[in-house]
Amino acid sequence: MKILDLVTRTFRYTNHTVRDSEGHTHPGPPHDATQSVLEIVTDEGVSGYCFGASPDVIAQVVKPLVVGRDPLDREKIWHHLVEMQRGNRGLSDRVLATVDLALWDLAGRALGQPVYKLLGAARDKVLAYASTMCGDELPGGLDSPEAYAAYALACKARGYQAFKIHTRMPPIAGTPNPREDIAICTAVREAVGPDMALMLDSFHYYTREDALRIGRALEKLDYEWFEEPMPEHSMSSYIWLTDQLDIPIVGPETAEGKMYTRAEWIMHRASDISRAGVFDNGGITPVMKIAHLCESFRVQVEIHSPGAGNLHALCAMAWPGKYYERGLLHPFIDYERPPQWLRTIDDPMDDEGYVHVSSRPGLGQDIDWDYIAAHEVKR
Ligand code: MG
């Protein structure tokens, strides 16, 4: 089998979220937006797909490197793209991820198997945590400790066994505020009772002292983990924090460097639980390397962000990866409604809080090609 072409299609959809000046997503007035899908075309009539493509980088940088290759040579293609990242700043880990996910999707479609089976299946469902959007100033949204508590109760009623808070952060006036963070975490624990697992992902630029103060409060509230309270390039700060706290510290998430960074954090005991994600690290291929690295050290690894790629990777891990991150959630957003380009969502959840992986070939996404064709934007 040979790769004949890389094609990206861009199409219009209605977005119900907006980004604030710091890049955080919130509910907002419906507005026009665009999405892109990558298709890797082969000479045997089978293709692989991934959403979130960057059309220009794919066309200018990736396409000349991969056309003519065997699409099942994922490892070779991935390593070549990693080496090309040094001289091509636009060739981000996110771009690598779209190519790698499309190649996995293609392999699954060619062989008639879901990706998690090709990887070596360990399970077909994963416990989810409800992952909130960052807080806001929207009445009835996530604007106060009481509002977070009410939403945690709603998520518990939906079946979630775990709930992760993203607190109120800049540009909201008066934030970041460790005291408010602790008040939110306290209100949520008091509302849901002792049995629901709770996690905090706070403001990412706290001082060491503020991070320690919040972490100690979380220990008293029996939180399951504490995530990214400081810049991850300061590994010394994480060694300092992890050494003093009993609550597990999770990371690195946003630090680049793929499996190499995770190995360094494990060796330096900079966190207790490692972190990986297909769009953070460059695809399913590196996430499985990180999963096996962590398993070898008996260090747990938690997977960042939702999506079919992360779900298939999680279902090929017998080692924790305890949770699937379902989100970002907000009282004003209907997460159960698929995006307009899919007929069904990637991550259906049952009443016990488990997300089930698709048994369709490839990544199993239920793509609405009629919608995409009707809304395509000619470039
Ligand atoms: Mg995070």
Side-chain angles (χ1 to χ4, degrees), residues 7 24 39 58 64 68 79 94 107 137-138 174 182 194 210 231 234-236 265 286 301 347 357 360 362 371:
V7 179
H24 305 123
E39 175 180 4
I58 295 285
H79 274 274
R94 200 175 171 85
E137 298 175 285
L138 303 168
I182 294 169
D210 282 342
S234 180
M235 196 163 65
S236 297
W265 275 53
V301 54
D347 51 1
V357 71
R360 284 189 292 267
Y371 178 89

Side-chain angles (χ1 to χ4, degrees), residues 232-300:
E232 290 180 339
H233 286 120
S234 180
M235 196 163 65
S236 297
S237 297
Y238 277 90
I239 295 168
W240 181 90
L241 186 69
T242 298
D243 189 45
Q244 296 184 75
L245 289 175
D246 292 326
I247 183 173
I249 303 296
V250 173
E253 175 182 301
T254 52
E256 62 276 50
K258 307 178 181 67
M259 62 281 184
Y260 303 116
T261 318
R262 278 71 194 162
E264 295 298 331
W265 275 53
I266 290 170
M267 290 305 293
H268 288 90
R269 299 179 192 179
S271 62
D272 300 286
I273 300 174
S274 194
R275 194 107 168 110
V278 295
F279 285 108
D280 305 291
N281 304 132
I284 290 173
T285 296
V287 164
M288 295 314 295
K289 292 178 195 294
I290 293 167
H292 298 154
L293 163 78
C294 290
E295 182 179 357
S296 304
F297 278 98
R298 297 192 68 75
V299 167
Q300 295 183 48

Side-chain angles (χ1 to χ4, degrees), residues 164 166 201 227-228 253 275 304:
K164 189 174 94 180
H166 290 97
D201 191 355
E227 188 175 322
E228 207 180 343
E253 175 182 301
R275 194 107 168 110
H304 171 232

Side-chain angles (χ1 to χ4, degrees), residues 129-361:
Y129 64 84
S131 188
T132 74
M133 287 182 176
C134 290
D136 49 55
E137 298 175 285
L138 303 168
L142 294 171
D143 62 338
S144 65
E146 297 72 30
Y148 275 94
Y151 191 52
L153 280 175
C155 289
K156 191 179 181 187
R158 167 66 181 87
Y160 286 103
Q161 296 188 41
F163 184 82
K164 189 174 94 180
I165 296 162
H166 290 97
T167 40
R168 292 176 2 120
M169 299 182 195
I172 297 174
T175 68
N177 182 346
R179 198 169 293 162
E180 181 185 284
D181 290 4
I182 294 169
I184 289 169
C185 291
T186 304
V188 169
R189 173 54 82 204
E190 285 173 355
V192 300
D195 294 335
M196 194 174 197
L198 298 175
M199 306 85 156
L200 172 65
D201 191 355
S202 71
F203 178 63
H204 311 302
Y205 298 92
Y206 276 129
T207 61
R208 290 185 179 193
E209 288 72 21
D210 282 342
L212 182 62
R213 183 171 150 208
I214 295 167
R216 290 209 167 121
L218 296 181
E219 286 174 347
K220 291 200 189 87
L221 295 167
D222 194 24
Y223 269 54
E224 182 142 337
W225 76 57
F226 185 21
E227 188 175 322
E228 207 180 343
M230 302 179 293
E232 290 180 339
H233 286 120
S234 180
M235 196 163 65
S236 297
S237 297
Y238 277 90
I239 295 168
W240 181 90
L241 186 69
T242 298
D243 189 45
Q244 296 184 75
L245 289 175
D246 292 326
I247 183 173
I249 303 296
V250 173
E253 175 182 301
T254 52
E256 62 276 50
K258 307 178 181 67
M259 62 281 184
Y260 303 116
T261 318
R262 278 71 194 162
E264 295 298 331
W265 275 53
I266 290 170
M267 290 305 293
H268 288 90
R269 299 179 192 179
S271 62
D272 300 286
I273 300 174
S274 194
R275 194 107 168 110
V278 295
F279 285 108
D280 305 291
N281 304 132
I284 290 173
T285 296
V287 164
M288 295 314 295
K289 292 178 195 294
I290 293 167
H292 298 154
L293 163 78
C294 290
E295 182 179 357
S296 304
F297 278 98
R298 297 192 68 75
V299 167
Q300 295 183 48
V301 54
E302 284 299 331
I303 299 297
H304 171 232
S305 286
N310 279 324
L311 183 54
H312 280 269
L314 269 167
C315 287
M317 293 163 56
W319 181 251
K322 186 170 175 185
Y323 295 103
Y324 174 86
E325 180 168 17
R326 204 162 187 261
L328 297 172
L329 306 183
H330 189 279
F332 298 168
I333 298 287
D334 181 8
Y335 188 80
E336 310 299 331
R337 191 174 66 180
Q340 285 133 295
W341 57 90
L342 297 180
R343 289 197 182 86
T344 53
I345 57 175
D346 290 331
D347 51 1
M349 190 182 84
D350 64 27
D351 294 342
E352 274 78 52
Y354 284 88
V355 167
H356 295 251
V357 71
S358 170
S359 57
R360 284 189 292 267

Side-chain angles (χ1 to χ4, degrees), residues 22 49 62 66 89 91 112-113 137 145 157 161 171 175 189 237 248 278 282 300 343 348 372 378:
E22 305 264 337
Y49 305 94
V62 180
V66 303
R89 303 220 75 171
L91 189 54
Q113 291 289 333
E137 298 175 285
Q161 296 188 41
T175 68
R189 173 54 82 204
S237 297
V278 295
Q300 295 183 48
R343 289 197 182 86
I372 291 171
K378 293 293 172 202

